[in-house]
Amino acid sequence: MTSAAMGAVPAPGTGSPESPAGRNGAAARTAEAGGHPLEIQMLQVGGQLLRVGRQAGSQRGATPLLMFNGIGGSIELLEPLARAMPAREVIVFDVPGVGHSPMPRRPYRLRTLARWALGVLDHFGHAQADVLGVSWGGVAAQEFARTAGERCRRLILCATTSGMFMLPGHPKAIARMVTPRRYMSKAYATQVSGDIYGGDFRRQPELAAEFMKHVKWQSRWGYYLQIGAATGWTSVHWLCRLKQRTLVMAGRDDPLIHTFNARLMRSLIPNSELKLFDCGHLFLMTRQEESVRAINEFLDKA
């Protein structure tokens, strides 16, 4: 993907999250939290319009961090993590049909998503990036590391698996993940958050309200397209060929992703290490300080 194949698109109308008024409101909310808001723009990448968020970072010349979100997750879900690493340039985008990226013209696979990510990096002039993926986004990050290996310097896999060949999580948690209902109803999210995410959400269901503040819901179809993109996919037979230094991160009390899967990936990826948290699926949120410290130490290693 070259920069000629894409371009910046005028911002949506006033009142939208990407409009000046919307950005000013987001900036005010972020200022209260003591951070800096992501710069939001719409980019045309290979025929697909993507909503992209970027934090410039204060550390000039460093390798940027490209982040892939979990299923149904918009830019806003990862913005607090980006703000907790103000020195880093961070790039994240809404998958088509999620957040404010419009629906794709047809269903897509993870390889297509990797090409879109390459186009985003090209737009910002980056030959290489560190890559972090969360849950479903960890699957996308693995595909990116495989198909664009020379563009991926280091890899961070959070609360994720090697795809269809995995040890499944708790049946109740999996059943509730199949539907996007938790993104559509705050009351339902509070009710089921402990069963789905485990960890602190079991003891503090009110954390779901904080989680929902960062949700920008679009459609069921976009959610199901994400499920379809990874259906039948597995990395278990090629993880042994990944050359990137890799950090695998997981929560010990994760109903969705059993820690066996993290240990399996750690054993299969040659140059990898494992970090476990006494928390659940959303440890990047509930153990943010510890998570950021682990991420920074890993990325800053010589």
Side-chain angles (χ1 to χ4, degrees):
M1 182 73 63
T2 65
S3 58
M6 60 189 301
V9 175
T14 300
S16 76
E18 284 70 55
S19 70
R23 288 196 298 269
N24 290 340
R29 291 190 298 273
T30 305
E32 293 175 0
H36 300 281
L38 297 180
E39 299 172 358
I40 305 295
Q41 58 184 293
M42 303 297 289
L43 299 179
Q44 190 79 28
V45 183
Q48 173 65 48
L49 194 61
L50 297 175
R51 177 178 179 250
V52 180
R54 176 178 176 265
Q55 172 179 275
S58 60
Q59 187 179 0
R60 303 303 178 188
T63 304
L65 178 61
L66 173 68
M67 299 198 296
F68 290 94
N69 222 324
I71 189 167
S74 60
I75 286 172
E76 286 75 14
L77 281 177
L78 289 178
E79 185 171 7
L81 181 66
R83 295 202 313 264
M85 299 183 285
R88 297 195 182 280
E89 178 180 356
V90 178
I91 300 169
V92 59
F93 62 92
D94 287 345
V95 171
V98 174
H100 293 286
S101 287
M103 296 292 298
R105 288 176 292 182
R106 60 181 67 88
Y108 60 91
R109 298 290 288 174
L110 293 175
R111 183 181 292 267
T112 303
L113 183 65
R115 288 200 298 268
W116 287 329
L118 283 174
V120 172
L121 289 182
D122 288 343
H123 173 80
F124 293 112
H126 296 309
Q128 200 173 49
D130 295 321
V131 176
L132 180 150
V134 184
S135 194
W136 181 93
V139 169
Q142 291 172 66
E143 181 67 16
F144 183 92
R146 181 178 77 95
T147 59
E150 73 285 353
R151 305 289 297 272
C152 178
R153 187 185 75 109
R154 293 188 182 176
L155 181 63
I156 303 175
L157 303 175
C158 305
T160 192
T161 76
S162 56
M164 64 179 293
F165 291 108
M166 60 174 286
L167 181 63
H170 194 284
K172 182 187 292 186
I174 299 299
R176 287 173 168 167
M177 276 292 291
V178 171
T179 169
R181 183 181 172 190
R182 68 193 185 284
Y183 284 141
M184 303 166 66
S185 167
K186 292 182 180 180
Y188 181 76
T190 301
Q191 176 187 339
V192 304
S193 62
D195 292 335
I196 295 179
Y197 302 122
D200 293 341
F201 281 80
R202 296 189 193 277
R203 299 175 292 276
Q204 300 172 265
E206 64 273 13
L207 284 172
E210 180 63 28
F211 177 73
M212 290 297 291
K213 290 179 183 178
H214 305 289
V215 170
K216 300 296 180 185
W217 174 247
Q218 184 180 154
S219 73
R220 288 178 178 269
W221 180 235
Y223 188 92
Y224 294 137
L225 283 178
Q226 280 190 275
I227 294 177
T231 299
W233 180 95
T234 184
S235 61
V236 73
H237 58 296
W238 50 256
L239 284 177
C240 61
R241 297 198 294 272
L242 286 185
K243 295 180 171 58
Q244 296 87 357
R245 184 179 291 183
T246 302
L247 173 63
V248 181
M249 304 170 71
R252 289 188 173 91
D253 179 23
D254 185 343
L256 288 171
I257 310 293
H258 195 283
T259 53
F260 170 84
N261 298 289
R263 298 183 189 281
L264 174 63
M265 290 188 294
R266 163 64 184 88
S267 68
L268 292 175
I269 302 173
N271 193 7
S272 64
E273 56 191 86
L274 176 63
K275 172 70 174 178
L276 295 177
F277 296 85
D278 290 321
C279 195
H281 192 70
L282 296 181
F283 58 83
L284 289 177
M285 172 185 170
T286 57
R287 296 290 187 275
Q288 185 181 91
E289 184 176 346
E290 187 180 354
S291 297
V292 167
R293 182 165 57 249
I295 291 169
N296 283 332
E297 288 176 356
F298 172 71
L299 294 180
D300 290 340
K301 285 180 182 178

